[in-house]
């Protein structure tokens, strides 16, 4: 399949079925005064579901999403959905942005116009980008893989083909967080000739450091990371354990219950963002529900959870990355990496700790993230290779 235009058009029967389910939720109980201690709080979720049932308008959100230039193209047997917005300015630098879980390509919706039309948003027109934002395989409007082995490495190979063979770029930038950080690092490790530089908002959970037995030579910061990571996984890593081992078992309940799906996802939006315990400080109800709807209307919670299984069972080792790398750390994110470890494993040329923000960087602090991306890539705009 060549690159084809794509528009979101959810059938009425899917929305009618959802409305029925929202009208007939069977709620569990909750211990008094437990709040969020044992997971998503009952009263909050009931309030969100009531808003979903009575006020949320998917057709309004769908129309907004369809304002982006969207496409699909078959890469390695998977129909990849992606936004491709051309930059408005001289010599735009192409950049591919990769999202994670439990978000979607919508992670980047706020920064797309800032990157593609900087002059219209108080920026320098020389900082213009062509922006490509794909949906990971099995996420949202990309098709679900029907075979094993679709992990971060495999996706990075797909992105290389998408950018070069399908879109015609021979040199580009790449950025990402969460799963997107892993995909971006594999892309840089295996195709350095394609990349001018990579921009990361995290380095994932550093398991080789967390499980290290030989502590000789580790810095105080690395030792503290090891301790923090072990504690975090014990207290917060239950979702990793089940999605890495039993994604199919999890999928039945979450594919059948919109309230269950919302409860599973909302727990992470609260815990990983800089909302200080109050989701409304970082996200509107419409923002949260639009993300949840992407999972619901495409029935992809099972295939998204399977990505954890594949990354746990089939990822090849990742060597040192020589491509120039920027790391922008947001203080409320998960397990901020030790700089010493990062310098040993990546060619760090920019390291910036942000004043605020959490895991969902582009959603929470779009201006801060865009400023960092613009500044990092500015020197690379003078390279002689033809961009497109």
């Amino acid at each position: 399949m060549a690159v084809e235009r794509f528009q979101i058009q959810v059938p009425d029967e899917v929305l009618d079925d959802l409305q029925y389910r929202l009208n007939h939720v069977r709620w569990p109980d909750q211990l008094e005064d437990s709040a969020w201690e044992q997971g998503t709080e009952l009263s909050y979720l009931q309030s969100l579901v009531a808003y979903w049932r009575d006020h949320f308008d998917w057709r309004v959100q769908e129309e907004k999403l369809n304002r982006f230039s969207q496409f699909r193209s078959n890469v390695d047997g998977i129909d990849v959905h992606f936004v491709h917005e051309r930059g408005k300015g001289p010599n735009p630098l192409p950049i591919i942005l990769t999202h994670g879980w439990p978000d979607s390509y919508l992670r980047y919706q706020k920064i797309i116009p800032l990157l593609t039309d900087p002059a219209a948003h108080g920026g320098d027109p020389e900082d213009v980008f062509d922006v490509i934002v794909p949906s990971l395989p099995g996420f949202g409007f990309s098709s679900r893989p029907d075979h094993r082995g679709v992990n971060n490495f495999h996706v990075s190979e797909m992105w290389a083909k998408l950018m070069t063979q399908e879109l015609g770029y021979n040199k580009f930038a790449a950025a990402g967080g969460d799963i997107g950080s892993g995909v971006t690092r594999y892309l840089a490790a295996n195709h350095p000739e394609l990349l001018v530089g990579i921009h990361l908002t995290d380095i994932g959970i550093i398991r080789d450091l967390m499980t290290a037995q030989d502590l000789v030579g580790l810095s105080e910061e690395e030792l503290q990371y090891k301790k923090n990571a072990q504690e975090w996984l014990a207290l917060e890593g239950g979702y990793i354990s089940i999605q890495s081992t039993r994604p199919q078992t999890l999928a039945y309940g979450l594919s059948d219950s919109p309230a269950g799906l919302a409860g599973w996802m909302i727990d992470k939006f609260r815990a990983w963002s800089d909302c200080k315990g109050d989701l409304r400080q970082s996200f509107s109800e419409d923002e949260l529900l639009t993300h949840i709807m992407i999972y619901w209307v495409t029935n992809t919670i099972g295939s998204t959870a399977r990505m954890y299984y594949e990354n746990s069972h089939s990822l090849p080792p990742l060597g040192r990355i020589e491509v120039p790398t920027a790391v922008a750390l947001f203080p409320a994110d998960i397990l901020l990496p030790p700089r010493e470890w990062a310098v040993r494993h990546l060619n760090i040329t920019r390291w910036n700790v942000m004043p605020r923000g959490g895991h969902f960087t582009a959603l929470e602090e779009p201006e801060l993230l865009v400023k960092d991306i613009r500044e990092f890539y500015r020197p690379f705009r003078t390279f002689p290779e033809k961009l497109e």
Side-chain angles (χ1 to χ4, degrees), residues 1-8 65-75 78-86 95-99 104-106 108 112 130-137 139-143 158-159 161-169:
M1 180 176 76
V3 174
E4 297 180 349
R5 284 275 180 179
F6 178 81
Q7 289 272 288
I8 303 168
L65 297 179
N66 279 331
R67 294 174 192 171
F68 289 118
S69 298
Q70 299 174 96
F71 303 86
R72 289 181 82 177
S73 183
N74 189 277
V75 183
I78 295 171
D79 292 337
V80 177
H81 160 261
F82 61 98
V83 170
H84 188 193
E85 289 287 345
R86 299 282 184 173
I95 186 169
I96 184 167
L97 306 174
T98 308
H99 66 85
S104 65
Y105 80 102
L106 300 187
Y108 296 112
I112 293 173
D130 282 353
V131 177
I132 299 90
V133 187
S135 296
L136 290 163
F139 283 68
F141 300 105
S142 287
S143 64
M158 293 175 63
W159 281 190
K161 294 174 184 176
L162 175 67
M163 293 297 285
T164 58
Q165 297 176 17
E166 302 299 323
L167 300 182
Y169 296 111

Side-chain angles (χ1 to χ4, degrees), residues 101-250:
W101 183 93
D103 55 283
S104 65
Y105 80 102
L106 300 187
R107 170 187 279 232
Y108 296 112
Q109 63 179 326
K110 293 179 181 178
I111 73 170
I112 293 173
L114 305 182
L115 293 173
T116 56
D117 195 1
H121 298 88
D124 185 340
E126 297 287 338
D127 288 328
V128 64
F129 292 84
D130 282 353
V131 177
I132 299 90
V133 187
S135 296
L136 290 163
F139 283 68
F141 300 105
S142 287
S143 64
R144 297 187 289 268
D146 60 4
H147 57 279
R148 295 183 178 183
V150 180
N151 53 31
N152 287 352
F153 167 78
H154 187 101
V155 174
S156 74
E157 295 297 299
M158 293 175 63
W159 281 190
K161 294 174 184 176
L162 175 67
M163 293 297 285
T164 58
Q165 297 176 17
E166 302 299 323
L167 300 182
Y169 296 111
N170 57 32
K171 201 82 171 178
F172 54 91
D178 196 85
I179 291 172
S181 169
V183 170
T184 300
R185 282 179 282 135
Y186 274 99
L187 185 59
N190 296 311
H191 295 282
E193 74 284 356
L194 298 178
L195 293 162
V196 300
I198 62 172
H199 187 283
L200 309 173
T201 53
D202 62 69
I203 310 180
I205 298 173
I206 307 172
R207 292 189 179 273
D208 63 341
L209 185 55
M210 186 184 69
T211 59
Q213 299 299 312
D214 184 2
L215 306 184
V216 176
L218 295 183
S219 69
E220 184 176 337
E221 187 183 12
E222 288 172 312
L223 291 172
Q224 186 61 50
Y225 176 90
K226 177 180 172 69
K227 179 175 182 292
N228 293 345
Q230 290 171 339
E231 292 176 353
W232 185 87
L233 278 176
L235 295 173
E236 300 286 345
Y239 78 100
I240 296 176
S241 296
I242 191 167
Q243 293 187 172
S244 298
T245 59
R246 295 293 186 271
Q248 189 67 32
T249 302
L250 179 70

Side-chain angles (χ1 to χ4, degrees), residues 324-358:
T325 302
V327 177
L329 299 178
F330 291 73
D333 202 350
I334 307 162
L335 294 174
L336 302 185
R339 183 167 184 169
E340 298 96 329
W341 187 94
V343 168
R344 287 200 305 272
H345 292 82
L346 302 106
N347 179 15
I348 302 292
T349 61
R350 181 181 177 89
W351 184 274
N352 196 8
V353 179
M354 299 296 185
R356 60 189 178 275

Side-chain angles (χ1 to χ4, degrees), residues 281-297:
Q281 288 194 25
S282 295
F283 312 102
S284 70
E285 283 88 349
D286 280 350
E287 282 182 308
L288 292 171
L289 289 170
T290 301
H291 274 276
I292 294 167
M293 283 289 287
I294 294 293
Y295 283 69
W296 181 262
V297 300

